Amino acid sequence: EAQVTQNPRYLITVTGKKLTVTCSQNMNHEYMSWYRQDPGLGLRQIYYSMNVEVTDKGDVPEGYKVSRKEKRNFPLILESPSPNQTSLYFCASSLDGLLREQYFGPGTRLTVT
Amino acid sequence: QKEVEQNSGPLSVPEGAIASLNCTYSDRGSQSFFWYRQYSGKSPELIMFIYSNGDKEDGRFTAQLNKASQYVSLLIRDSQPSDSATYLCAVGRDSGYALNFGKGTSLLVTP
């Protein structure tokens, strides 16, 4: 089954404790992206990657890191999480940067206390 | 700041009616436009994309684009209760392969 998977689905952590949210897709897609969704602010893009070893900032990259060492994986790293990073995070992938077929993962609900 | 504006709703329509969802955008250089549907507690799913001025139809859905007015809309014909969801408008940036999303319009289709 074609899908985007994220782990963990739910995470409660404390300020400053480094964490990684994994994202993997099995569709051989070139493009992958991370978004966060907050009430009243909508869906905002954090980072995206056009291909392996190619990443670029979205609207809200501060406090996040990404890497794209393999085509199928695109982990999101929070080196020192803060409470304002409490959010619902979605990973997504698309065949290419035209985004005519962008598929979203199930989401990761992160709470930073 | 490139903005995508949508009426938050809720937009309530009776079953069988046409639902009309609207979106305006500020980036004149945008070339690609997308509509996503998001059910409560679920992830967004792509409904349609449109690149050219005019209408594009896919089943019960029609996307309409007017670049001169910086306006894109989604019509849902024969609305069903299962269409009740939040509809997100997304606009591709002219500077690269990224998207700006609107905050979404909540649609409620009543039986």
Side-chain angles (χ1 to χ4, degrees):
Chain A
E1 179 189 356
Q3 60 183 349
V4 179
T5 57
Q6 297 178 227
N7 282 293
R9 295 288 313 279
Y10 301 91
L11 179 60
I12 301 174
T13 189
V14 296
T15 299
K17 185 177 181 182
K18 181 179 178 180
L19 67 91
T20 299
V21 184
T22 64
C23 173
S24 183
Q25 51 93 4
N26 64 359
M27 295 170 278
N28 202 35
H29 282 172
E30 299 287 339
Y31 182 100
M32 297 186 74
S33 182
W34 276 102
Y35 299 87
R36 62 178 288 176
Q37 189 171 39
D38 302 286
L41 296 176
L43 202 60
R44 294 177 293 168
Q45 198 164 26
I46 303 172
Y47 271 97
Y48 64 95
S49 170
M50 287 293 295
N51 208 331
V52 174
E53 302 293 358
V54 179
T55 62
D56 209 346
K57 296 177 181 178
D59 279 328
V60 287
E62 297 79 18
Y64 304 95
K65 286 177 59 178
V66 293
S67 68
R68 187 95 180 273
K69 294 186 170 62
E70 307 166 277
K71 183 184 271 193
R72 64 180 293 130
N73 295 323
F74 190 43
L76 180 70
I77 302 158
L78 285 71
E79 295 268 4
S80 183
S82 62
N84 65 12
Q85 293 179 296
T86 292
S87 187
L88 177 59
Y89 291 87
F90 290 105
C91 180
S93 75
S94 179
L95 181 64
D96 53 35
L98 296 179
L99 304 175
R100 289 171 294 186
E101 288 186 17
Q102 181 167 226
Y103 296 92
F104 281 74
T108 294
R109 187 164 294 281
L110 172 66
T111 301
V112 183
T113 61
Chain B
Q1 178 74 10
K2 309 299 185 183
E3 294 189 348
V4 179
E5 300 286 345
Q6 295 181 256
N7 189 319
S8 62
L11 173 65
S12 183
V13 300
E15 184 174 357
I18 296 175
S20 178
L21 302 158
N22 304 316
C23 172
T24 59
Y25 61 94
S26 63
D27 187 353
R28 282 200 169 273
S30 297
Q31 298 295 324
S32 54
F33 306 87
F34 306 84
W35 283 100
Y36 285 80
R37 177 176 62 198
Q38 186 174 25
Y39 291 112
S40 180
K42 301 295 186 182
S43 52
E45 53 180 329
L46 182 65
I47 301 173
M48 293 185 70
F49 62 87
I50 186 168
Y51 291 161
S52 304
N53 278 330
D55 295 359
K56 180 181 179 182
E57 188 174 316
D58 184 359
R60 295 187 296 114
F61 298 97
T62 299
Q64 299 176 316
L65 175 61
N66 184 324
K67 289 184 181 179
S69 300
Q70 294 177 249
Y71 177 93
V72 57
S73 64
L74 179 71
L75 301 178
I76 307 174
R77 289 182 300 281
D78 188 24
S79 295
Q80 301 297 309
S82 58
D83 294 325
S84 298
T86 296
Y87 289 80
L88 306 174
C89 174
V91 176
R93 297 180 201 170
D94 66 346
S95 58
Y97 301 102
L99 292 179
N100 287 326
F101 279 82
K103 295 176 184 177
T105 298
S106 175
L107 173 66
L108 178 63
V109 181
T110 54

